[in-house]
Structure formats: structure tokens, C-alpha cells
């Protein structure tokens, strides 16, 4: 057996030297004397040379993982120079020399001292030398040789991961790839089948399969549902030796998850839902929640709710809670138990992300019926408007009704309501309200110029339940009445130059009026009627609510008169016409050639001009004459007479007899026909004064029809006021005043006999004003609701 082995090595050695070892011999042994050259003749005539082999050793192979007791023999080194007399010494260097591989320096035998592993190192490169012991000379040059380690199947396949994680959509078809697993074998893939790996599935059937060569895991069953089972654990085996018996194997685990697809529609767990709601809930209040279940997850389970139809589609709304996927029923409009007590809705729940692949399974939505019952509660009174706007003339009399508010109880019982004014909004107690019918009336005079608006709050309270009350704002606008006369806007310091010429403008005056007519102000300027023609100055109406004062003569002398008083009549065009007289003081001053004032001092004038005593007396006389004229004007105005309004032989005034009694009221018509007052169309037209020339001022007078549907007493007062302010009326009148009570009294009966049967509360606030002696009586009776704070 040993001889056979050496023979095979010798043959391999020969092959090796004829191929690989020739370069070493050519480099190292070309000059050795022991070499022989053998020549061969070729066709080209050149001689081929072959170097004689000097070294003899075997190409060495060694099995890994040797388990014998003795050292493993590797091979033998030998040279032709070795005569067997022990003169040569063999030396081994290179990979593992001396530790893994040892050599007998006398014989050249090499042995492996340790067990070798091909997976750690598959070949070793060593170098050998043959040295003469005596001379120390190398008899052969150093040369390399290789020891190769033959593989045995000592490594099982190993996967790149101990645990794989993968996912695949549910409802996937058979053969859908899931994941690829890979196992490697450390054995030599070029030597036998030690590294040939085959894959197989140990756990996970019949749901999955694995390709034996590539390791790709695929689905093996159709339409696997995530809702039925979501997680799968698959065990894969990798076996070498081509899967044959005796091969080594390794395993790995693959956790496979089925991902969700939208293959399930939402479904309500019940077909009908019932909710209750008080009628007074605010808008947007949630009444309840409904939920349609969807076994899918993520966006595939997102549900959107909507109201499909129903008699409450306009009264309610449904919104989707994105966190819980619930539908929230909310109030969209105000509920009223008295109007409708039960509503029925149909609510749809549908997927927001349907999958087109599964639409053939049917509509991905569901419908449920929602019934909402409205519960009755005691509601506060409701006003007919959200606010009230009342306009009233500023000259309205105290106690006059200016407007009315109305409220009602929305409940079915329809409780009675009482009204009152919130005194925090009417601290001055200008207004009050009738507690039963809501009529608002005045308690004090109104003045638009001081307060053009009054904003009060009216309270409506149920009589049977004082906790149920409502507030409403009432805006009262005071309308303007022309009750203020126009006045000069300011005090004017006016002067005229001594050297002024006729027609020069010395002053422009403007006017202010506290009234605010709807069509704007329009003022007129005229001289006073007593002095229609002023010889010194002229008043020119500019038609723009201003007037210019113009000079009328050539030159003015401080020597004769240093100051002029110019009365100006100012009137407006509203009804009734208001007028006033403004006096303009004009001083005479010395001016330069450009009209600039230099001096208006009277003392300087006296000193400079050296006035005599006679001149001063003349000035004083002029002043006295002017004062006399003013007094005469006032006296004449008081003594002016009018023509009688009634021209008759028997003056009606002769029939007026005054008695100290009340009289017969409206039924007593013996002394005067009241029907005439009620029929103002029969009155005579106003007659102008015969001693006064009609002027422009009287042409703009207008009469407002105040006699339609008006009380007789009010009519008489207005006619008196009109005639008193009318400059064209006669200086006297023949109107008779009667103690006329009127159509109705806002105070009703003053007797307390019927107070127990009266429906409304009496007003006893005046008892508090009578002093401490009536305090006990005032405490027994409270004030009216309209006056309580």
C-alpha cells in the first residue's frame, strides 16, 4: 500500500516538474555542473533543451480534520545530490514550518504536527533547501512547494438571518412572492457536493411554499383573509449534499404578516338608534354617537357618515370623529317641542378609500335609522323682534305712548307675561312701560340736542315663574323739532375804514343752529323790519348760509361816530320758522391806503384831532337818539293791533262769562261750537296785517296739517303756539280755552276701590316721596315692576 502511494506521488511529481518547477530550475540551477541538457530537433532546426531534475519531492495533499493518533505523513523531499551518507541537511521554511509542519532534516520526510481546518486555511506555501553539512553550501537552490488541504463535509448551511420578517397583502393569488431566504455553506463548493444547498419548508404548509434552489417563499393558498388570521410562522430548512441523506442542515424562521386591503364594507351593529334632546339645546350640541364597524384597519377602515334623507335632515347634522370613526349627531337648527316632537333620520356610513378590485362584492356602505325625540322644557318669553327701533319727536308730551314691544311664551301652557324696564339702562327714569301690554311711554321731556339716542332694555318675565325672563334692547331715536333759533356763530370784531368806499365788503358772518333738519340747514339774512333801509351798511345774503356786510356810503368819520350797531335778522326754513336778531358792532378805524387798520382808539382820535366840547356833545346826542328809537320800537311792537278774526255785530267775546266751576266738559257747547274746532277745514284763511308790508320772510312760511286725528286740546295748544310765533298774525286773537279732559287718561281711575279686582299692579312709588310719616304705608306697597332695579 505504501509503495502504491509513493508511485502515485512520483508520477504527480514528474508532471509538476515538467510544468510548474521548470521556471525555478531555469532561474536557480542554470549554472550547476550536475545539470544535463538533452536536445531535441524540431522542424525549424532549433534545439530544445530539458533541464535535469535536481529536486525530487511529492506534490502534497492533506485531509482536514485528521483524527488519527500519529502525526499525519505529508510527503518527502529528496535531491539527486543526496548519496545517503548523511552529508546533506534538509531545511523547511514558510507557512506553518516548524509548528504545523515538521521535517526530518536527514531523510526529508514531512509530517503534519496538528489537525488542520480547510475553512481556516485551504493551502500552505513552503520553501525547501538542501545544505551540505560540511561546507554549509546549498546543493540545491531554495524552491517553493504547496500543501493543499482536501475538504470534508464538516460545515452545515447557515442562513444570513436567524429570523426573517415579511408581509404580503391578504387575498393575494397563489404563487405571490413573499421573501427570499439565503443559506451559505463554508465547505468547498468546487469539491464534491459538500456546499450544494437545497431548501425545504418544515412549518407553514399548506399556506406557503419555498423554491428548493432559490429559497423564494411564495403563497400556496388563494384568498387568505387577514380578518381570519393575520400572523404566520414559517420554518425553512437548508440542507447540503444536494439534499441527500447524510447531508448537514440548518433552519431559520420567517414571520409573515398579511397586510390589510379594503375588502370589507362598514356595518352598523344595529339598525335603529334612539336619542333624546331638550328643545333649548344650543346649536352644534352633540346628541349622541353611532358607529359602523369595519374589520379592516388603517385608512381602509376610515368611515364617513352622512344624512341620506329624513324629516330632520335640515334640523340635524352628522360629523365624523376621525379618531374613533364614530358619527356624531349634532343640532343644526333650533328645536321646538311645540312645533315637532319626533324626527327620523337615515344615516349612511361609507368607506372613504374603496378598493376597485372588490367593488363587485357590493356597495361599501350601510344605512341606519336615527330617531330623535324632542323634550319639552319651560322656555323664557320670546320677543317678536331681535331689537326694537322707536322714533319719537323731541316735543312729545310727558306720558305719551311712543311705541310697544310684544313677547309671548313659546311653551304650550302659554303663561302670562309682564314687562318692565331695566333701570340700569334708564337711570334718569325717562321712560316707563305698561306691565301688561308692553306700551312704552315717556315720564320726562325729551331733548334731542342733549341726548339724541336713548338705549334701554325691556324685560319680559313670566308671571307664574319669575326665573323665566328675556331681555330685548330698545333703541329710541329722538327726532329733531325746529325749536332753536339760529344765532351768529361767533362774536365778530368788525371795523370799517374812515376812507371806505361804497360797496366794500367789511365782514362775512356765518350762523350756527342747534337743530338738525333732515334736508340740512338753510338760513336767511335780512335787516330788521323796524329799520329796513340802513343808510350806512347793507346786508347781502350770499345764499350759502353766510352774509356779507357791505359799506353803503363814501367815508366814515370817527369824529362824528366811532361805533355803529347793525342788527341782523336771521331765520331758518324749517317748521315752525325760528328767527333771532344778532347785533354786529362795527367800529370806525383809521386805515392806510391798502385798507389795513391802524388805530380805532377814541382817545387817540380826540387828542390828535383836538375835538371840542361841542363835538363830544353831538356824539352823545346821537347815542341818546338811538336809544330813544329802540325804546319807541319796543313800545310800538306791544301796541300793535290786529283786525278781529270774527267780523260781526255781536262780538263773541261779549258772550264769554267766567264761572268758578268746571263746566259741562265736551257736552257744554252753548258758548262755543266745538265742532268747528274738530272741522278745521271750515276755518278762515289767515289774514295779513294791513299795516305791515309783506316781505320775503313771510313767503316761505308753511303750514303743516296738524288737525288730522288729533285731540282738541292738543290742537288748541298747537294753534296758539303757531299764532304766537307768526309775525303776520293779528296782535290779538279770540280763541277760547276749555277745560277739556280729552279722550282718555293714561292714569286710569284714581280710586283705590277697585284695586283688588284690577289685573295690574298699582304704582305706589309716590308714597316714598311723602316723607317719614308715610314710610309705613310705602313699605306695605311696592313700586311697579317697571321701576324696580
Amino acid at each position: 500500500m505504501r509503495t502504491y502511494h509513493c508511485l502515485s506521488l512520483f508520477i504527480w511529481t514528474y508532471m509538476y516538474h515538467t510544468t510548474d518547477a521548470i521556471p525555478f530550475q531555469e532561474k536557480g540551477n542554470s549554472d550547476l555542473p550536475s545539470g544535463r541538457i538533452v536536445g531535441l530537433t524540431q522542424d525549424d532546426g532549433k534545439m530544445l533543451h530539458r533541464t535535469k531534475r535536481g529536486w525530487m519531492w511529492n506534490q502534497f495533499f492533506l485531509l482536514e480534520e485528521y483524527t488519527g493518533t500519529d502525526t499525519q505523513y505529508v510527503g518527502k523531499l529528496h535531491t539527486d545530490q543526496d548519496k545517503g551518507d548523511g552529508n546533506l541537511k534538509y531545511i523547511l521554511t514558510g507557512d506553518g514550518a516548524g509548528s504545523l509542519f515538521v521535517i526530518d532534516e536527514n531523510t526529508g520526510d514531512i509530517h503534519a504536527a496538528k489537525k488542520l481546518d480547510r475553512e481556516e486555511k485551504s493551502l500552505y506555501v513552503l520553501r525547501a533547501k538542501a545544505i551540505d553539512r560540511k561546507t554549509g553550501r546549498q546543493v540545491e537552490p531554495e524552491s517553493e512547494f504547496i500543501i493543499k488541504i482536501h475538504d470534508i463535509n464538516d460545515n452545515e448551511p447557515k442562513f444570513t438571518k436567524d429570523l426573517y420578517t415579511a408581509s404580503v397583502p391578504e387575498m393575494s393569488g397563489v404563487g405571490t412572492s413573499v421573501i427570499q431566504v439565503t443559506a451559505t455553506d463554508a465547505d468547498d463548493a468546487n469539491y464534491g457536493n459538500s456546499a450544494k444547498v437545497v431548501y425545504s419548508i418544515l412549518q407553514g404548509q399548506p399556506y406557503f411554499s419555498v423554491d428548493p434552489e432559490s429559497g423564494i417563499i411564495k403563497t400556496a393558498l388563494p384568498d387568505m383573509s387577514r380578518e381570519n388570521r393575520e400572523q404566520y410562522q414559517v420554518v425553512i430548512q437548508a440542507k447540503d449534499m444536494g439534499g441527500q441523506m447524510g447531508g448537514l442542515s440548518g433552519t431559520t424562521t420567517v414571520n409573515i404578516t398579511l397586510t390589510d386591503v379594503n375588502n370589507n364594507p362598514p356595518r352598523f351593529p344595529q339598525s335603529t338608534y334612539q336619542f333624546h334632546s331638550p328643545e333649548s339645546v344650543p346649536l352644534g350640541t352633540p346628541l349622541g354617537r353611532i358607529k359602523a364597524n369595519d374589520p379592516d384597519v388603517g385608512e381602509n377602515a376610515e368611515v364617513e357618515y352622512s344624512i341620506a334623507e329624513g324629516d330632520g335632515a335640515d334640523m340635524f347634522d352628522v360629523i365624523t370623529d376621525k379618531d374613533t370613526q364614530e358619527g356624531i349627531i349634532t343640532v343644526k337648527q333650533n328645536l321646538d317641542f311645540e312645533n315637532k316632537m319626533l324626527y327620523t333620520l337615515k344615516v349612511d356610513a361609507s368607506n372613504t378609500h374603496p378598493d376597485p378590485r372588490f367593488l363587485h362584492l357590493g356597495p361599501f356602505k350601510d344605512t341606519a335609522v336615527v330617531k330623535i325625540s324632542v323634550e319639552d322644557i319651560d322656555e323664557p318669553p320670546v320677543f317678536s323682534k331681535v331689537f326694537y327701533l322707536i322714533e319719537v319727536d323731541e316735543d312729545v308730551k310727558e306720558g305719551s305712548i311712543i311705541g310697544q314691544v310684544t313677547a309671548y311664551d313659546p311653551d304650550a301652557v302659554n303663561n302670562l307675561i309682564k314687562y318692565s324696564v331695566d333701570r340700569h339702562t334708564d337711570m334718569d327714569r325717562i321712560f316707563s312701560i305698561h306691565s301688561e301690554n308692553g306700551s312704552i311711554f315717556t315720564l320726562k321731556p325729551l331733548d334731542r340736542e342733549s341726548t339724541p339716542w336713548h338705549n334701554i332694555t325691556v324685560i319680559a318675565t313670566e308671571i307664574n315663574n319669575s326665573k323665566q325672563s328675556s331681555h330685548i334692547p330698545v333703541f329710541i331715536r329722538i327726532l329733531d323739532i325746529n325749536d332753536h333759533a339760529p344765532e351768529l356763530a361767533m362774536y365778530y370784531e368788525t371795523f370799517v375804514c374812515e376812507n371806505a368806499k361804497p360797496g366794500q365788503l367789511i365782514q362775512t358772518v356765518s350762523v350756527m343752529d342747534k337743530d338738525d333738519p333732515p334736508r340740512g340747514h338753510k338760513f336767511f339774512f335780512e335787516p330788521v323790519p323796524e329799520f329796513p333801509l340802513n343808510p350806512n351798511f347793507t346786508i347781502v345774503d350770499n345764499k350759502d348760509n353766510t352774509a356779507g356786510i357791505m359799506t353803503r356810503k363814501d367815508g366814515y368819520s370817527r369824529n362824528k361816530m366811532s361805533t355803529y350797531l347793525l342788527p341782523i335778522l336771521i331765520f331758518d326754513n324749517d317748521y315752525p320758522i325760528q328767527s333771532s336778531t344778532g347785533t354786529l358792532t362795527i367800529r370806525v378805524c383809521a386805515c392806510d391806503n391798502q385798507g389795513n387798520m391802524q388805530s380805532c382808539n377814541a382817545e387817540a382820535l380826540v387828542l390828535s384831532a383836538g375835538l371840542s366840547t361841542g363835538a363830544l356833545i353831538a356824539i352823545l346826542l346821537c347815542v341818546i337818539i338811538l336809544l330813544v328809537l329802540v325804546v319807541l320800537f319796543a313800545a310800538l311792537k306791544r301796541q300793535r293791533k290786529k283786525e278781529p278774526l270774527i267780523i260781526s255785530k255781536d262780538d263773541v267775546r261779549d258772550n264769554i262769562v267766567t264761572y268758578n266751576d268746571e263746566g259741562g266738559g265736551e257736552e257744554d257747547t252753548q258758548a262755543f261750537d266745538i265742532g268747528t274746532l274738530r272741522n278745521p277745514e271750515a276755518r278762515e284763511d289767515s289774514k295779513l296785517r294791513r299795516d305791515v308790508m309783506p316781505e320775503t320772510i313771510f313767503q316761505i312760511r308753511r303750514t303743516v296739517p296738524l288737525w288730522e286725528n288729533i285731540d282738541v286740546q292738543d290742537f288748541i295748544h298747537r294753534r296758539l303756539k303757531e299764532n304766537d310765533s307768526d309775525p303776520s298774525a293779528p296782535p290779538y286773537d279770540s280763541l277760547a280755552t276749555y277745560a277739556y279732559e280729552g279722550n282718555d287718561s293714561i292714569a286710569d281711575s284714581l280710586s283705590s276701590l277697585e284695586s283688588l279686582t284690577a289685573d295690574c299692579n298699582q304704582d305706589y312709588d309716590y308714597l316714598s316721596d311723602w316723607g317719614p310719616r308715610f314710610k309705613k304705608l310705602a313699605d306695605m306697597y311696592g313700586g311697579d315692576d317697571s321701576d324696580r332695579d
Side-chain angles (χ1 to χ4, degrees), residues 27-77:
K27 288 192 301 180
N29 301 332
S30 59
D31 54 350
L32 291 176
S34 61
R36 293 184 305 172
I37 298 175
V38 179
L40 297 176
T41 303
Q42 292 185 348
D43 294 339
D44 55 359
K46 293 183 179 181
M47 184 68 66
L48 296 177
H49 300 276
R50 180 174 63 86
T51 304
K52 179 183 177 182
R53 178 174 57 86
W55 278 95
M56 295 178 61
W57 66 77
N58 298 321
Q59 173 71 17
F60 306 120
F61 290 91
L62 197 64
L63 290 176
E64 66 173 337
E65 303 296 340
Y66 174 71
T67 57
T69 57
D70 297 333
T71 58
Q72 188 176 3
Y73 180 77
V74 178
K76 182 181 181 63
L77 295 179

Side-chain angles (χ1 to χ4, degrees), residues 218-480:
K218 302 178 181 180
T219 57
L221 285 180
D223 301 332
M224 287 189 294
S225 176
R226 185 199 64 84
E227 288 74 29
N228 295 333
R229 182 177 177 182
E230 184 177 5
Q231 299 288 339
Y232 293 87
Q233 190 175 72
V234 179
V235 178
I236 303 297
Q237 181 189 63
K239 190 174 184 180
D240 59 12
M241 298 299 293
Q244 299 298 322
M245 185 177 296
L248 302 179
S249 64
T251 60
T252 187
T253 301
V254 182
N255 291 331
I256 301 177
T257 303
L258 295 184
T259 58
D260 185 61
V261 297
N262 193 7
N263 61 328
N264 294 282
R267 290 288 181 263
F268 284 104
Q270 59 191 70
S271 60
T272 304
Y273 294 84
Q274 184 75 35
F275 299 109
H276 302 273
S277 172
E279 61 178 335
S280 62
V281 295
L283 299 183
T285 301
L287 302 181
R289 292 173 175 255
I290 59 176
K291 184 176 182 180
N293 299 322
D294 192 331
D296 296 323
V297 294
E299 68 174 15
N300 297 324
E302 293 181 1
V303 180
E304 184 177 6
Y305 298 89
S306 62
I307 296 178
E309 58 183 9
D311 54 2
D314 297 333
M315 302 298 296
F316 303 93
D317 197 5
V318 58
I319 58 177
T320 303
D321 189 335
K322 298 299 183 182
D323 296 330
T324 62
Q325 298 301 316
E326 293 177 316
I328 306 174
I329 306 297
T330 61
V331 179
K332 188 177 180 181
Q333 295 188 18
N334 292 322
L335 303 178
D336 188 3
F337 173 81
E338 289 71 25
N339 184 28
K340 192 174 180 62
M341 296 181 290
L342 180 63
Y343 294 91
T344 302
L345 306 175
K346 287 186 178 180
V347 180
D348 287 343
S350 57
N351 280 137
T352 58
H353 301 87
D355 194 330
R357 297 178 298 171
F358 305 103
L359 293 180
H360 65 279
L361 300 178
F364 276 69
K365 69 177 183 178
D366 196 13
T367 303
V369 176
V370 178
K371 294 183 178 181
I372 302 174
S373 300
V374 181
E375 299 175 350
D376 186 27
I377 63 170
D378 189 6
E379 299 177 272
V382 177
F383 284 92
S384 59
K385 299 180 180 179
V386 295
F387 68 91
Y388 289 86
L389 174 63
I390 299 176
E391 294 182 343
V392 58
D393 293 334
E394 63 176 323
D395 64 343
V396 67
K397 295 191 301 182
E398 299 178 21
S400 299
I401 295 176
I402 61 174
Q404 185 181 22
V405 298
T406 57
Y408 65 93
D409 184 9
D411 297 320
V413 294
N414 194 15
N415 292 323
L416 295 178
I417 295 173
K418 61 180 180 180
Y419 303 92
S420 61
V421 175
D422 186 356
R423 287 304 172 193
H424 293 92
T425 62
D426 185 23
M427 302 295 292
D428 297 332
R429 296 179 178 268
I430 300 176
F431 303 96
S432 186
I433 189 170
H434 196 283
S435 62
E436 293 183 359
N437 58 24
S439 298
I440 300 175
F441 55 91
T442 60
L443 297 176
K444 294 181 181 180
L446 304 177
D447 186 10
R448 188 203 66 85
E449 284 69 34
S450 62
T451 308
W453 284 89
H454 294 273
N455 302 329
I456 65 175
T457 298
V458 174
I459 305 173
T461 307
E462 292 184 10
I463 294 180
N464 296 335
N465 186 2
S466 61
K467 295 182 179 180
Q468 294 296 337
S469 62
S470 299
H471 299 68
I472 194 72
V474 179
F475 307 105
I476 303 175
R477 180 184 180 185
I478 310 303
L479 300 179
D480 185 40

Side-chain angles (χ1 to χ4, degrees), residues 187-201:
D187 294 326
D188 189 359
N190 298 320
Y191 183 77
N193 294 328
S194 298
K196 186 177 182 180
V197 178
V198 174
Y199 300 94
S200 61
I201 184 168

Side-chain angles (χ1 to χ4, degrees), residues 427-642:
M427 302 295 292
D428 297 332
R429 296 179 178 268
I430 300 176
F431 303 96
S432 186
I433 189 170
H434 196 283
S435 62
E436 293 183 359
N437 58 24
S439 298
I440 300 175
F441 55 91
T442 60
L443 297 176
K444 294 181 181 180
L446 304 177
D447 186 10
R448 188 203 66 85
E449 284 69 34
S450 62
T451 308
W453 284 89
H454 294 273
N455 302 329
I456 65 175
T457 298
V458 174
I459 305 173
T461 307
E462 292 184 10
I463 294 180
N464 296 335
N465 186 2
S466 61
K467 295 182 179 180
Q468 294 296 337
S469 62
S470 299
H471 299 68
I472 194 72
V474 179
F475 307 105
I476 303 175
R477 180 184 180 185
I478 310 303
L479 300 179
D480 185 40
I481 297 297
N482 194 27
D483 56 350
H484 291 83
E487 300 174 352
L488 291 176
M490 57 180 293
Y491 173 76
Y492 293 94
E493 295 182 355
T494 307
F495 72 94
V496 61
C497 296
E498 288 184 304
N499 57 355
K501 301 298 180 182
Q504 289 186 355
L505 176 66
I506 62 172
Q507 184 68 60
T508 300
V509 295
S510 58
V511 178
M512 60 169 291
D513 193 339
K514 295 181 180 180
D515 295 319
D516 187 15
R519 293 184 297 273
H521 289 290
K522 182 64 177 176
F523 303 114
F524 300 92
F525 303 85
E526 291 184 359
V528 295
E530 291 79 2
F531 302 100
L533 295 177
N534 191 309
N536 300 310
F537 303 98
T538 302
I539 302 173
V540 179
D541 193 341
N542 296 329
K543 308 300 181 183
D544 60 353
N545 295 339
T546 63
I549 309 301
M550 312 290 293
T551 58
R552 198 164 188 173
K553 66 179 184 178
D554 188 2
Y556 297 83
S557 175
R558 285 186 295 169
N559 194 8
K560 295 180 180 180
M561 183 173 290
S562 62
T563 303
Y564 292 90
L565 298 178
L566 179 62
I568 303 174
L569 179 62
I570 309 168
F571 57 92
D572 54 24
N573 68 334
D574 205 1
Y575 181 85
I577 294 176
Q578 299 289 342
S579 64
S580 67
T581 301
T583 301
L584 194 65
T585 302
I586 305 174
R587 295 185 297 164
V588 181
C589 301
C591 303
D592 56 14
N593 295 332
Q594 285 75 27
N596 299 319
M597 180 183 65
Q598 293 181 338
S599 175
C600 297
N601 195 335
E603 295 179 357
L605 178 63
V606 173
L607 294 175
S608 61
L611 290 178
S612 62
T613 305
L616 295 176
I617 294 174
I619 294 173
L620 182 59
L621 289 175
C622 291
V623 174
I624 294 174
I625 292 172
L626 182 60
L627 293 176
V628 171
L629 290 176
V630 173
V631 172
L632 290 176
F633 168 76
L636 289 174
K637 186 174 182 181
R638 287 196 299 269
Q639 295 178 3
R640 285 183 300 179
K641 299 294 184 179
K642 254 190 174 183

